[in-house]
Amino acid sequence: MPIPVWDYRGEYAVERETILEAVERVFRSGRLILGGEVRAFEQRFADYCGLRFGVGVNSGTDALFIALKVLGIGSGDEVITVANTAVPTVSAIVSTGATPRFVDIDPATHLMDADQLEHAITPRTTCVLPVHLFGQCVRMERVQAISRKHGLFVLEDCAQAHGATRHGTMAGAMSDVAAFSFYPTKILGGYGDGGMVVTNDEALAARARRLRMYGMERESFAEEHGYNSRLDELHAAILLTKLDRLDSYVERRRALAARYHEALAETSLVLPQTDDANLHAYYLFVVRHPKRDRIIDELAKRDIAVNVSYRWPIHLMPAYRWLGYREGDLVYTERVMQEVFSLPMYPSLSEEDQDRVCASLHEILQIIDDGR
Ligand SMILES: Cc1ncc(COP(=O)(O)O)c(C=O)c1O
């Protein structure tokens, strides 16, 4: 049987009844848009993060875009982030009219190297956008200290970090405002698109609420130019049922990660490293090897799928060439992208399948290490 890199069907088989009950409740309620399910999910997810306000939107990309807008970021501003992230982190910045600037990553964790932040600050910098990649938090205390010193906003991209913590603080609660995605593959993933802006700041939350609904506070009357970016009742109701299980999803991912660590410790793969202050939620289990592409081909022959996050650095993509970066500008970002790939990781991955992945890797690496 093929082993996919991600699959929701095992989870659906277990949670089917609860999910369908939620769907039925919404369909019978007479309210499909911005009703009680969205309100309940916003509050409960904000509570989960240890924050006061949540504003449901229709994707993680929109959560980033709206979070930037509520901070007043736009044309003329520079926002510092990394080129080792999903494209939407950068496209959200560009959609506001602001210019993304990139700092390199720490090659051990693949996360923003906070020590380089200060070199990237210019008089036009107004915001820092750290990405808690693969389920692990950036060194936020350093990001916060530098941002405070230079009067910059901080927006966390938490699309891959539901339930991750740093020094015991939840991802999303270490900045002015944070953005989550509920895209199906995510640690808290829906059955369609969804996202949320979370914050402790009442005024920012109120503005996010306005922007997601055509700039309105009351019906058919725009206070400011806005958008249509609503989380549906249906998705909110399903996500509410899954929120109850979020801690168990993270636990399961961490248990699978511990099994990978144990089984692959003696191989030539570079395994993921966790910063001591972090609780890693393992959205992805990312490994490195110089013969990455050959390993992927060999795994595919054995019906095992892997993922490459990410194969191409954003600063060198055609869409963002106008930013003026060249090959060699972000040394570690470019280097790790030639070697990374991520192993199957989702709560319903069976130990039997995981053992097959590990046994196949042992077999393939033996051949490669022997120079065959
Ligand atoms: C780091 C990161 N930021 C932003 C996003 C965008 O989220 P969405 O796909 O919900 O728009 C994603 C997901 O693809 C992501 O992984």
Side-chain angles (χ1 to χ4, degrees):
M1 283 288 280
I3 303 177
V5 71
W6 173 80
D7 196 349
Y8 69 92
R9 286 170 299 182
E11 166 202 289
Y12 182 64
V14 174
E15 300 177 12
R16 182 172 178 275
E17 223 166 284
T18 332
I19 289 169
L20 293 184
E21 264 169 32
V23 170
E24 176 77 2
R25 187 172 72 235
V26 172
F27 284 0
R28 284 180 175 278
S29 72
R31 179 97 194 214
L32 299 173
I33 301 290
L34 294 187
E37 303 286 346
V38 169
R39 270 196 306 278
F41 179 56
E42 288 174 337
Q43 194 52 60
R44 288 214 23 230
F45 189 70
D47 288 346
Y48 181 87
C49 297
L51 291 163
R52 290 175 66 204
F53 305 102
V55 180
V57 295
N58 74 7
S59 67
T61 311
D62 275 12
L64 286 165
F65 172 73
I66 288 177
L68 288 162
K69 295 293 287 184
V70 299
L71 293 173
I73 308 293
S75 177
D77 293 316
E78 289 181 1
V79 178
I80 302 175
T81 190
V82 286
N84 177 32
T85 179
V87 169
T89 310
V90 175
S91 71
I93 297 170
V94 173
S95 296
T96 67
T99 304
R101 307 305 309 174
F102 300 113
V103 291
D104 210 349
I105 56 166
D106 171 351
T109 57
H110 302 195
L111 298 170
M112 173 184 272
D113 182 354
D115 290 334
Q116 300 210 20
L117 210 47
E118 223 151 9
H119 307 302
I121 295 172
T122 75
R124 288 162 43 142
T125 309
T126 46
C127 183
V128 181
L129 204 174
V131 183
H132 301 320
L133 210 61
F134 309 148
Q136 178 171 209
C137 293
V138 172
R139 263 199 305 143
M140 287 304 290
E141 56 286 354
R142 187 92 178 100
V143 172
Q144 285 161 338
I146 294 167
S147 303
R148 220 172 291 128
K149 180 172 154 199
H150 293 271
L152 309 176
F153 292 117
V154 182
L155 158 59
E156 286 164 88
D157 183 340
C158 301
Q160 304 189 2
H162 316 68
T165 66
R166 180 162 182 83
H167 295 297
T169 304
M170 280 284 177
M174 296 179 269
S175 56
D176 298 288
V177 57
F180 282 88
S181 163
F182 304 117
Y183 183 75
T185 62
K186 301 305 185 202
I187 297 173
L188 180 59
Y191 283 68
D193 276 311
M196 198 179 291
V197 176
V198 291
T199 180
N200 264 335
D201 186 314
E202 193 164 9
L204 293 184
R207 183 143 188 239
R209 217 158 258 137
R210 204 155 68 209
L211 289 181
R212 74 159 171 203
M213 178 76 179
Y214 319 121
M216 293 171 185
E217 281 175 11
R218 50 194 157 129
E219 210 182 313
S220 301
F221 187 86
E223 305 285 342
E224 63 173 316
H225 173 68
Y227 312 91
N228 173 2
S229 183
R230 299 173 295 229
L231 181 66
D232 298 322
E233 284 287 281
L234 185 62
H235 294 312
I238 295 172
L239 285 162
L240 259 176
T241 71
K242 294 191 64 174
L243 183 55
D244 289 334
R245 301 179 215 252
L246 177 50
D247 285 336
S248 70
Y249 297 148
V250 173
E251 246 169 65
R252 175 69 184 155
R253 284 172 179 274
R254 286 172 56 73
L256 289 167
R259 292 186 91 250
Y260 272 138
H261 269 289
E262 203 186 326
L264 302 172
E266 303 302 320
T267 67
S268 51
L269 289 174
V270 178
L271 301 181
Q273 287 183 40
T274 305
D275 182 304
D276 286 345
N278 283 343
L279 182 136
H280 199 318
Y282 283 105
Y283 171 59
L284 296 179
F285 191 89
V286 178
V287 297
R288 279 168 56 191
H289 197 285
K291 298 270 165 57
R292 186 253 323 266
D293 292 334
R294 174 137 180 240
I295 298 171
I296 294 177
D297 285 348
E298 290 294 331
L299 284 169
K301 285 183 202 158
R302 291 160 179 81
D303 260 346
I304 296 170
V306 298
N307 178 29
V308 179
S309 295
Y310 294 94
R311 197 182 282 277
W312 297 285
I314 295 176
H315 66 293
L316 302 178
M317 290 184 186
Y320 300 107
R321 210 167 274 150
W322 58 274
L323 292 169
Y325 287 90
R326 301 234 180 90
E327 212 172 319
D329 282 346
L330 301 169
V331 174
Y332 290 121
T333 301
E334 293 166 30
R335 192 174 297 165
V336 303
M337 286 184 168
Q338 291 166 14
E339 298 190 348
V340 289
F341 62 108
S342 51
L343 306 182
M345 173 58 86
Y346 43 98
S348 62
L349 175 67
S350 70
E351 294 179 3
E352 200 185 347
D353 280 354
Q354 191 186 27
D355 290 344
R356 208 178 105 207
V357 173
C358 295
S360 301
L361 280 167
H362 273 279
E363 186 194 335
I364 294 163
L365 291 165
Q366 192 66 57
I367 296 168
I368 290 176
D369 294 346
D370 289 351
R372 283 184 274 153

